[in-house]
Amino acid sequence: MPELTKTRDHAAAPDAPRAERPRRRISIAEGAVVLALVLLLILPLPADNLQMISQLNQVVTVLASALSVYVMMRLKLLHFGVPAFMAVGGYSAALTAVHVTDNVVALVGVSLVVPALAAVPFGLITMRLRGTYFALVTFLIGQVVYLAIVASDGLGGTDGITGIPAPTLGGTLLGDGVATLRIGLAVSLLAVVLVVVFTMVNGRRLDALRSNEVLAGSLGLRSWPVRLAAFVLSGALAGMSGFLIVNTLTTAHPSSFSTLTGVNYVAYVVVGGAASVLGPFVGTVLLVFLVVQFASEGVYAGALLGGLLIFTSLFLQKGLTGTVHDLTAWVVRRATGRSGSARPRDDSRKDQT
Amino acid sequence: MDTLVQALVNGLALGAQYALLALGFSLVFGVLGVINFAHGGFYLLGGYFTYSLMTSIGLPYVPALIVGVAGVAVVGYLMELVLIEPIVDNHEGTLIISLGFFLILSAVVTVAYGPEAVPAEFPVSHVLRFEGLYIPVARLIVIAVSAGAVVALWLLLFRSRHGVALRALSENREVATMQGLRPRVYFPLAVALSAALAGLAGGMVTPIFTLEPPVAEAALMTSFIVVVLGGLGSLAGAAAAALGVGMMEAIGGTYLDGSMTRLLLFSAVLTLLLFRPAGLAGRSLRDA
């Protein structure tokens, strides 16, 4: 078996393992998303352009929720329970703001940690569920949390929690539209960084489990730690998004977290693509813009989302970013005259809807 | 005691309508491997088609229900043929498509009839009074028709050539296809049958309670909880779970708030998943 011997020797050589190590560097797409959020955060914003501020705020408010779906989709799991963890984060932040402190750092921390902890038992329940069955059960998780909120007098029942004070930072009140947007941008940046770090550290594990869990298991990769970690991170991201919704509306209301709203966040990722964080980012920006422009009434927004979901699933199975990536690779191949396929990307396969 | 008996009758009626919903849902999963989110939309369409036929062209209730159910079946057939069939083996993709279709159906109904409830009425409003019990005849009719539909479905699946074909495709599609069965023929029929069952439930039940767009989501959730409890792909499990859920809701609703009853029910089912991830009688999750 000379080949095997050679491989072992190669791996053992002190100067050789460079090629064997997992590639842990940020991709151009991920860097672009981080850069865009950083620029929006540090550049002056047109405070008098209320429409622009409002639309940007709508995007950043739900971006973390889209990322929450994206993290699970890296494992080929459709997560419809995002509103549940948004509610946990949103209500935790609301209770903290009303009863403990209105410091924005504390509120973000609470909205990150509490949903992450809440995700652990649900993660254990869903640990052994696969494929579409996982999607079904996460829908039920959303419904359980929604019903629990409605039935709870301590959370205001169907009236929710109102009169939430605006957050502060070092004695400065952050109550106006621009300040709300900046909080949203900062939280979204934190969410993107968390996701990028998680996928960089666990990228190969995620790819292996998504491609063939049985084979990955036979090679020694235990799926449950990765799945549980992804589910907990997903919960934390959703929680931060829930805080942003509560902060924008200055009220924590059950209707903000109804089970069917989870469809929106899945749609952002399906339409944008699930190859990198650029997919959810593009999907969120595009769909929020389209809904605001063409379907301001809820009923038309539903039809628009439905139509886009069908179109994307039938004709753009890798989402917009995946399709553009493939087209670009095809054009480059044609231009350079190479006959081989484009550089393979583990995270842009057909199996990612 | 009277209260309990009353709750049992109500539970039987609820369980019967849940069985219609869940059997269709489970049938599509069993045959196609598709989680059909449009199922709630078919329930909604059943109600609105029946209502429209009665109010627009003046059909009596029973013919309107029959034509309405047939119309829902046609919608289901076309959905499978046009949207699901091209990517039928992509389970996540078909789930997303059915979800999109559900959103469109809900939007179309809301645009056509408005977001408020329409004044649909069941033609029978008598109440039987028997030793302190008050039993609406409409609920007895729902129980009887549902039971008849379940028996008819059983006969179709287990006593007819087409039923054998559907079950063969459900058990092993490759082998069934090699034996000459054509999925392209039977898959749309399975979805049409499933849609008809949901439409029948919608056409019968919504005039008794309420007919408005949000009932689609409630029907979908009920389908989910029943099939998760009974086990995906298991028709017997779905039927048993439907009766169990209906009974629990009715009995719980007698002594507790309705939301609290559903919360306890949903929580109990989720907890069950810790110990039996495939539900009470489900197939291997790897196939899901």
Side-chain angles (χ1 to χ4, degrees), chain A residues 128 132-133 136 139 143 313, chain B residues 35 37 96 221 224 232 274 277:
Chain A
R128 289 187 283 174
T132 47
Y133 200 64
L136 202 61
F139 233 100
Q143 188 71 359
S313 297
Chain B
I35 297 282
F37 272 66
I96 293 289
M221 282 299 163
F224 286 177
L232 268 174
L274 266 177

Side-chain angles (χ1 to χ4, degrees), chain B residues 145-171:
Chain B
V145 174
S146 300
V150 170
V151 170
L153 179 68
W154 185 84
L155 289 173
L156 174 71
L157 289 177
F158 292 91
R159 290 287 182 269
S160 79
R161 192 165 53 85
H162 296 303
V164 171
L166 282 172
R167 287 191 293 124
L169 285 165
S170 166
E171 290 293 327

Side-chain angles (χ1 to χ4, degrees), chain A:
Chain A
M1 304 277 283
E3 297 283 334
L4 283 177
T5 308
K6 185 179 176 183
T7 304
R8 242 188 338 255
D9 290 344
H10 178 71
D15 58 344
R18 186 176 176 79
E20 303 274 330
R21 284 190 195 134
R23 186 166 51 88
R24 288 180 181 172
R25 58 185 172 84
I26 189 166
S27 71
I28 293 173
E30 290 164 342
V33 174
V34 171
L35 184 65
L37 290 172
V38 168
L39 286 176
L40 283 169
L41 194 57
I42 60 175
L43 289 177
L45 294 166
D48 54 341
N49 190 340
L50 295 178
Q51 189 184 2
M52 184 190 207
I53 296 290
S54 169
Q55 284 196 20
L56 277 174
N57 194 48
Q58 286 185 52
V59 170
V60 295
T61 300
V62 293
L63 179 59
S65 292
L67 291 171
S68 174
V69 173
Y70 162 75
V71 167
M72 298 311 295
M73 218 182 263
R74 287 293 300 259
L75 286 163
K76 207 180 175 186
L77 295 170
L78 282 169
H79 187 4
F80 286 99
V82 168
F85 300 103
M86 291 172 70
V88 174
Y91 274 85
S92 302
L95 289 173
T96 306
V98 171
H99 298 295
V100 185
T101 175
D102 54 13
N103 180 281
V104 69
V105 178
L107 296 180
V108 173
V110 164
S111 69
L112 189 151
V113 172
V114 177
L117 293 174
V120 173
F122 288 116
L124 292 173
I125 289 173
T126 57
M127 196 60 52
R128 289 187 283 174
L129 308 180
R130 301 289 181 273
T132 47
Y133 200 64
F134 177 88
L136 202 61
V137 173
T138 54
F139 233 100
L140 295 181
I141 290 174
Q143 188 71 359
V144 165
V145 172
Y146 179 81
L147 289 171
I149 290 171
V150 170
S152 168
D153 292 334
L155 298 176
T158 50
D159 296 330
I161 301 173
T162 54
I164 299 168
T168 60
L169 184 63
T172 307
L173 191 66
L174 305 173
D176 61 59
V178 173
T180 303
L181 174 56
R182 288 207 189 280
I183 292 172
L185 285 165
V187 169
S188 294
L189 183 60
L190 174 63
V192 169
V193 169
L194 285 173
V195 172
V196 169
V197 169
F198 179 77
T199 50
M200 277 168 63
V201 171
N202 295 289
R204 291 196 171 190
R205 296 186 190 97
L206 295 171
D207 291 339
L209 291 174
R210 186 187 61 228
S211 300
N212 191 328
E213 188 174 337
V214 176
L215 181 59
S218 71
L219 294 172
L221 178 60
R222 288 189 301 168
S223 70
W224 74 263
V226 182
R227 285 174 61 110
L228 187 58
F231 199 80
V232 169
L233 174 62
S234 173
L237 296 166
M240 288 194 290
S241 183
F243 158 65
L244 293 178
I245 286 182
V246 167
N247 186 43
T248 300
L249 301 176
T250 68
T251 178
H253 195 271
S255 63
S256 302
F257 310 111
S258 69
T259 315
L260 262 190
T261 57
V263 172
N264 297 350
Y265 314 123
V266 171
Y268 297 154
V269 185
V270 169
V271 172
S276 73
V277 294
L278 184 63
F281 182 77
V282 169
T284 305
V285 171
L286 180 72
L287 287 184
V288 168
F289 175 77
L290 286 176
V291 167
V292 169
Q293 293 298 319
F294 303 112
S296 54
E297 288 184 47
V299 58
Y300 296 115
L304 178 72
L305 273 185
L308 279 173
L309 283 174
I310 291 173
F311 180 81
T312 308
S313 297
L314 284 176
F315 304 111
L316 306 173
Q317 291 190 10
K318 294 179 184 174
L320 284 173
T321 53
T323 306
V324 168
H325 173 267
D326 283 359
L327 278 174
T328 310
W330 181 79
V331 170
V332 168
R333 263 203 323 275
R334 297 277 297 192
T336 57
R338 280 188 288 166
S339 57
S341 61
R343 179 172 64 86
R345 283 173 55 106
D346 286 343
D347 52 358
S348 61
R349 291 194 192 104
K350 186 182 175 184
D351 60 10
Q352 293 198 7
T353 46

